[in-house]
Amino acid sequence: MLDLEFAELSHPGLKRGHNEDFVGHVIPDSPAQVQSQGWLFALADGVGGQEKGEVASRRAIETVVAGFRKIPKGIMHVSLLPKLVQEANHVVFDEGNRIKGRLDPEYVDPGGAVIPGGAHMASTLVLCALRFDSAVVSHVGDSRCYLIRNGNLITLTHDHTMVDEQVRLGILTKAEAAVHAHRHLLTRSLGTEMFVAADTITVNIIPGDVLMLCSDGLHGYVPDATILRVVNLAENLQEAAALLIDAANAAGGHDNVSVQLVRVRSVERMGLYRGRPYRLL
């Protein structure tokens, strides 16, 4: 049976007086729920300044957590997570319109993130659901999910930013993108439009894997090599999460920083036949 351990931490950083990041999770209540529902981890980075970004990220996480708790038995995560992202998008979009409508032409929050289209508030969102021997990751924005396996750090998500698209097209190098003036310009986020498309992938997991969800307050300031070293050398996930927060603050603490670490202890190997899972011997 799938068995996990996890830790999560969120910190406002050293330069900002409030925290626009928000994290949440759903833990199965019983062995039966481990198989029928699985686990969910969710992280959001709100944009909008002052209380608005906090509202956006909190409402996004509350929506997906509540939605995951109500899922029918056995529903496939790969079809569920994009629906939860869209539900969260509707909530943030409506909330933003209720607060003040739309600003013109675009909004830059104190952390540097730019909301496209002039939305009054928005949020990134990254979700990771685990069941049996697979993890499904769905995301919008520049909050990331990584897989740490056999001493390697693998990025499972692509940032929805202008510079990341230019890197993929070969217009910019990664080094140029890291210092680009528009590196915080989001091309996709919750709350900017009535509908949003989430990128969703499925990866097989094995015992010993560590999945890490984080906001750009971590990956934007702490090198991958440092992240990998901290996770590999820490005595436990709680210590690793605390050390990663410390590393982000040591790099200047310019942004809110949040991290969720999930270690796979054991898995239940499964196959699919006509869309239904069955146990592999």
Side-chain angles (χ1 to χ4, degrees), residues 117-138:
H120 186 59
M121 71 178 191
S123 181
T124 70
L125 180 64
V126 57
L127 308 178
C128 180
L130 302 97
R131 186 169 60 180
F132 302 131
D133 58 353
S134 68
V136 176
V137 178
S138 193

Side-chain angles (χ1 to χ4, degrees), residues 2 39 76-77 128-137 202-206 211 267-270:
L2 178 64
W39 307 62
M76 301 296 291
H77 287 162
C128 180
L130 302 97
R131 186 169 60 180
F132 302 131
D133 58 353
S134 68
V136 176
V137 178
T202 301
V203 294
N204 288 329
I205 52 176
I206 59 176
L211 291 151
V267 301
E268 184 174 4
R269 296 184 63 239
M270 301 294 289

Side-chain angles (χ1 to χ4, degrees), residues 25-26 37 39-42 59-72 75-92 124-130 136 138-140 190-191 194 196-198 200:
H25 59 267
V26 178
Q37 174 180 280
W39 307 62
L40 175 72
F41 299 92
R59 296 288 283 124
I61 297 300
E62 290 173 347
T63 299
V64 298
V65 166
F68 192 84
R69 292 186 187 279
K70 296 185 295 185
I71 62 174
I75 190 171
M76 301 296 291
H77 287 162
V78 71
S79 61
L80 171 68
L81 293 198
K83 294 177 181 178
L84 293 180
V85 171
Q86 187 57 55
E87 289 179 13
N89 181 67
H90 283 155
V91 169
V92 175
T124 70
L125 180 64
V126 57
L127 308 178
C128 180
L130 302 97
V136 176
S138 193
H139 88 290
V140 170
L190 300 184
M194 188 174 294
V196 68
T200 304

